[in-house]
């Protein structure tokens, strides 16, 4: 056995993130690790990567017991990790990020040309081409994920931990990545794959370990199980089969008219985009990351200035208005980047939940503490947000639990228009069921929803109409009931 983690326990005060968890990995194996948000998957892997110290338990690599006190120790033992949330230097180029720690030198100076060559060769080898000279701060989320994966591959790790590696990739990029993982496993590399995408896991994994509430729920061979069985092991119950009723479109709630945001070298980031969203419908936006979806949402919500065109919310021109004034006109927003736009990590769960609701929960200028606590506690229970208490700082919640908090907060605004950008990114299958159900309920109640998702299955499951973006433009519209992933993917790629 290449790796054995024995009886791993990790406690944070009274909270046990892991409780006597066993995990093993064979040479050349792809072993998936699944579970609900807060089940302890990432904590277990942070321990393996030296980012956390176990309260008790042992780790054995190649028959030798080890104790990692930092990621450097893990890297020296040929263990690499691609994190769910990027750990890149924004002002560095892609090649500088990839070779950092193993920089090529020429006459005792950093050889940028050689670093660029290494990066180009890596990208070509693994089907993930990148521009080595481009700065990370100018990269889309999908491109940043590529950089993270290439960085670990460059380190030559024998054990590679992938924490939600496909969360921001397109279907084609996911397919290429899974092919690369299988090819590397056949060459003797060993993978630990954390993912909420059970179909991807079934497609690529040899064995699957399931955690629930910090404990080992079970370990199965992928060939001997099913998505339904894995779901039951993760959640502890049968999942509901959500049904989408035919749309009952009402009045036009949002109208975008030739919205344009200029880009570099004369090429616009958003190019004369026009669309509408009516009451009682969900309009899905599909596209490869970096093709104008982010700019469209920022233009509508007031997060980015518009060079030309206009946005109308319930017939009122909100172009160029402040975020606050647009929200007061009836907009709620689940942002695509929960850390940049969605939460204040140093604030508590309660304080983050209050954001946008403060005016409704005050009397005579004084906040109604009991009512606010009841509100947020209700979200924690309904959405299954795993937290020690509502007074816990947001930074101590897993990414999926933060996502559930943001979704709960924005849905509770009960606005006529909702932007839902990557609403289920990083959440478990049980939470996805709840969020999808809430979005369909909002639609049934007459809400207008603009949905942006990198998950085509989510787009097809929820959308009444699907708009596809490519290079800042809307290049096609398909009916949600009959559209296929193949049709959408072709339009996404410029076909």
């Amino acid at each position: 056995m290449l790796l054995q983690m024995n009886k791993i326990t990790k406690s944070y005060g009274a909270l046990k993130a892991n409780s006597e968890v066993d995990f093993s990995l064979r040479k050349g194996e792809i072993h998936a690790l699944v579970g609900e948000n807060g089940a302890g998957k990432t904590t277990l892997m942070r321990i393996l990567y030296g980012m956390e110290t176990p309260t008790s338990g042992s780790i054995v690599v190649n028959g030798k017991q080890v104790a990692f006190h930092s990621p450097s120790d893990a890297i020296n033992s040929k263990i690499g990790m691609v994190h769910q949330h990027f750990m890149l230097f924004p002002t560095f180029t892609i090649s500088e990020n990839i070779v950092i720690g193993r920089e090529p030198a020429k006459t005792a100076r950093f050889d940028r040309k050689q670093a660029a060559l290494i990066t180009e060769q890596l990208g070509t080898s693994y089907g993930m081409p990148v521009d080595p000279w481009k700065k990370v701060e100018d990269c889309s989320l999908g491109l940043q994920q590529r950089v993270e994966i290439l960085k670990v591959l460059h380190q030559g790790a024998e054990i590679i931990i992938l924490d939600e590696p496909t969360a921001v990739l397109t279907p084609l990029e996911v397919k290429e990545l899974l092919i690369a993982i299988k090819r590397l496993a056949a060459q003797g590399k060993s993978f630990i794959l954390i993912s909420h995408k059970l179909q991807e896991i079934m497609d690529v994994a040899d064995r699957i370990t399931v955690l629930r509430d910090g404990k080992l729920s079970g370990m199965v061979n992928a060939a001997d199980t099913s998505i339904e069985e894995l779901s039951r092991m993760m959640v502890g119950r049968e999942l509901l089969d959500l049904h989408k009723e035919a749309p009952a479109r009402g009045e036009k709630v949002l109208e975008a008219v030739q919205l344009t945001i200029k880009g570099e070298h004369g090429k616009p980031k958003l190019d004369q985009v026009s669309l509408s969203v009516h009451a009682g419908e969900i309009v899905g936006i599909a596209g490869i990351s970096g093709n104008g979806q982010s700019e469209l949402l920022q233009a509508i919500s007031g997060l980015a200035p518009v060079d030309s065109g206009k946005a109308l919310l319930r017939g009122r021109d909100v172009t160029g208005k402040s975020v606050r004034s647009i929200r007061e006109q009836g907009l709620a927003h689940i942002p695509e980047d929960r850390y940049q736009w969605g939460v204040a990590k140093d604030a508590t769960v309660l304080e983050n939940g209050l954001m946008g609701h403060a005016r409704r929960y005050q009397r005579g200028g004084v906040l109604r503490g009991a009512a606010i606590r009841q509100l947020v506690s209700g979200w924690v229970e309904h959405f299954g947000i795993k937290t020690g208490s509502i007074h816990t700082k947001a930074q101590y919640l897993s990414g999926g639990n933060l996502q559930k908090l943001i979704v709960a907060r924005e849905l509770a605004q009960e606005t006529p228009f909702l932007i839902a950008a990557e609403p289920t990114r990083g959440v478990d299958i049980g939470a996805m069921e709840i969020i999808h159900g809430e979005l369909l309920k909002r639609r049934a109640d007459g809400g207008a929803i603009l949905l942006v998702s990198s998950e085509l299955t989510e787009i097809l499951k929820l959308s009444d109409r699907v708009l596809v973006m490519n290079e800042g433009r809307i290049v096609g519209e398909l009916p949600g009931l009959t559209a296929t992933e193949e049709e959408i993917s072709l339009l996404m790629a410029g076909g």
Side-chain angles (χ1 to χ4, degrees):
M1 197 68 69
L2 178 63
L3 165 72
Q4 289 180 298
M5 302 182 76
N6 304 312
K7 303 297 181 185
I8 298 295
T9 295
K10 179 61 180 179
S11 299
Y12 299 97
L15 174 67
K16 277 192 177 181
N18 292 135
S19 180
E20 298 192 332
V21 175
D22 292 326
F23 184 85
S24 63
L25 183 68
R26 305 183 182 111
K27 184 176 177 60
E29 180 183 37
I30 303 170
H31 193 151
L33 185 61
V34 302
E36 291 190 281
N37 297 125
K41 308 180 300 296
T42 299
T43 299
L44 187 67
M45 290 300 102
R46 284 172 65 89
I47 289 171
L48 178 58
Y49 193 56
M51 298 179 72
E52 300 277 359
T53 303
T55 305
S56 63
S58 63
I59 301 173
V60 178
V61 179
N62 280 320
K64 180 182 177 182
Q65 186 164 326
V66 296
F68 297 147
H69 302 289
S70 71
S72 295
D73 294 339
I75 291 169
N76 290 335
S77 293
K78 297 187 177 182
I79 298 173
M81 183 171 184
V82 176
H83 299 272
Q84 181 179 357
H85 304 293
F86 311 135
M87 295 191 175
L88 301 171
F89 294 95
T91 58
F92 285 15
T93 65
I94 288 176
S95 60
E96 288 168 343
N97 271 281
I98 287 174
V99 304
I100 197 163
R102 295 177 177 233
E103 298 91 342
K106 187 176 183 180
T107 62
R109 298 182 66 183
F110 176 49
D111 190 341
R112 285 181 168 78
K113 288 185 178 179
Q114 183 62 23
L117 180 60
I118 290 170
T119 299
E120 287 179 343
Q121 291 173 341
L122 275 173
T124 300
S125 298
Y126 298 114
M128 294 182 284
V130 293
D131 177 358
W133 302 103
K134 190 172 186 176
K135 286 191 175 182
V136 165
E137 63 187 359
D138 298 325
C139 296
S140 65
L141 291 174
L143 188 51
Q144 290 181 42
Q145 178 70 80
R146 287 191 190 187
V147 177
E148 285 280 18
I149 294 169
L150 289 172
K151 182 174 69 175
V152 169
L153 291 170
H154 175 62
Q155 292 172 349
E158 293 299 318
I159 296 173
I160 302 172
I161 306 164
L162 300 175
D163 190 357
E164 298 287 353
T166 65
V168 294
L169 301 184
T170 66
L172 180 59
E173 290 170 329
V174 169
K175 183 178 180 180
E176 291 172 346
L177 175 63
L178 297 184
I179 290 172
I181 290 172
K182 288 183 177 180
R183 182 170 63 245
L184 287 166
Q187 295 170 357
K189 301 286 187 181
S190 303
F191 287 87
I192 303 171
L193 176 62
I194 303 174
S195 178
H196 293 296
K197 301 178 182 180
L198 298 185
Q199 185 58 61
E200 289 177 12
I201 284 172
M202 294 294 291
D203 289 342
V204 77
D206 299 306
R207 286 191 295 160
I208 304 167
T209 288
V210 183
L211 298 184
R212 187 165 77 233
D213 295 328
K215 298 178 181 178
L216 183 64
S217 177
M219 193 282 294
V220 294
N221 293 319
D224 301 328
T225 191
S226 65
I227 289 177
E228 291 74 22
E229 182 183 0
L230 290 175
S231 299
R232 285 193 296 271
M233 292 172 69
M234 288 169 58
V235 183
R237 60 176 174 83
E238 296 283 349
L239 294 178
L240 301 175
D241 184 16
L242 297 176
H243 178 65
K244 182 174 68 176
E245 300 290 342
R249 287 210 320 176
E251 64 179 2
K252 189 182 295 181
V253 177
L254 172 83
E255 184 177 15
V257 182
Q258 296 189 324
L259 285 175
T260 300
I261 296 178
K262 295 177 181 177
E264 299 174 355
H265 312 298
K267 186 176 181 179
K269 295 180 178 179
L270 195 64
D271 193 359
Q272 300 184 66
V273 170
S274 297
L275 61 89
S276 63
V277 186
H278 292 249
E281 75 166 345
I282 298 176
V283 174
I285 302 283
I288 298 171
S289 179
N291 275 268
Q293 304 96 304
S294 298
E295 288 77 11
L296 173 63
L297 302 188
Q298 290 168 17
I300 293 170
S301 61
L303 289 168
V306 174
D307 290 299
S308 64
K310 60 183 179 179
L312 303 173
L313 187 56
R314 293 195 292 176
R316 297 182 179 180
D317 190 345
V318 295
T319 316
K321 303 292 185 183
S322 68
V323 172
R324 177 174 174 175
S325 64
I326 295 174
R327 287 179 72 94
E328 288 175 347
Q329 287 295 325
L331 177 144
H333 185 188
I334 301 167
E336 64 175 329
D337 188 329
R338 52 180 166 252
Y339 288 109
Q340 183 175 2
W341 306 109
V343 296
K345 290 196 288 184
D346 290 331
T348 67
V349 171
L350 179 66
E351 290 164 342
N352 274 285
L354 179 61
M355 294 174 184
H357 291 272
R359 287 191 173 187
R360 297 167 59 186
Y361 287 88
Q362 60 177 305
R363 184 177 297 148
V366 178
L367 290 172
R368 296 158 51 204
I372 295 167
R373 289 190 293 273
Q374 183 178 5
L375 175 75
V376 178
S377 295
W379 299 342
V380 169
E381 181 178 356
H382 179 64
F383 285 88
I385 301 170
K386 291 185 172 67
T387 176
S389 90
I390 58 175
H391 303 292
T392 300
K393 286 190 175 181
Q395 61 183 307
Y396 297 120
L397 271 64
S398 70
N401 280 301
L402 275 181
Q403 185 71 17
K404 288 188 274 188
L405 174 62
I406 295 166
V407 170
R409 181 188 69 203
E410 296 305 310
L411 284 171
Q413 297 284 351
E414 297 181 349
T415 55
F417 179 61
L418 171 68
I419 292 175
E422 306 291 354
T424 60
R425 174 173 285 169
V427 306
D428 56 73
I429 194 166
M432 189 179 298
E433 173 196 54
I434 294 172
I435 292 170
H436 285 174
E438 292 291 338
L439 291 175
L440 290 174
K441 182 177 181 296
R442 172 61 57 85
R443 165 186 175 272
D445 291 340
I449 300 173
L450 184 62
L451 169 70
V452 172
S453 178
S454 54
E455 297 295 324
L456 294 189
T457 52
E458 183 168 63
I459 289 283
L460 291 172
K461 185 175 185 178
L462 298 177
S463 302
D464 300 302
R465 291 185 289 132
V466 181
L467 305 179
V468 184
M469 293 193 69
N470 179 261
E471 295 187 350
R473 288 176 172 265
I474 292 177
V475 294
E477 177 176 336
L478 299 167
L481 285 175
T482 58
T484 65
E485 287 194 24
E486 290 74 17
E487 288 175 315
I488 297 173
S489 295
L490 182 61
L491 288 169
M492 286 169 61

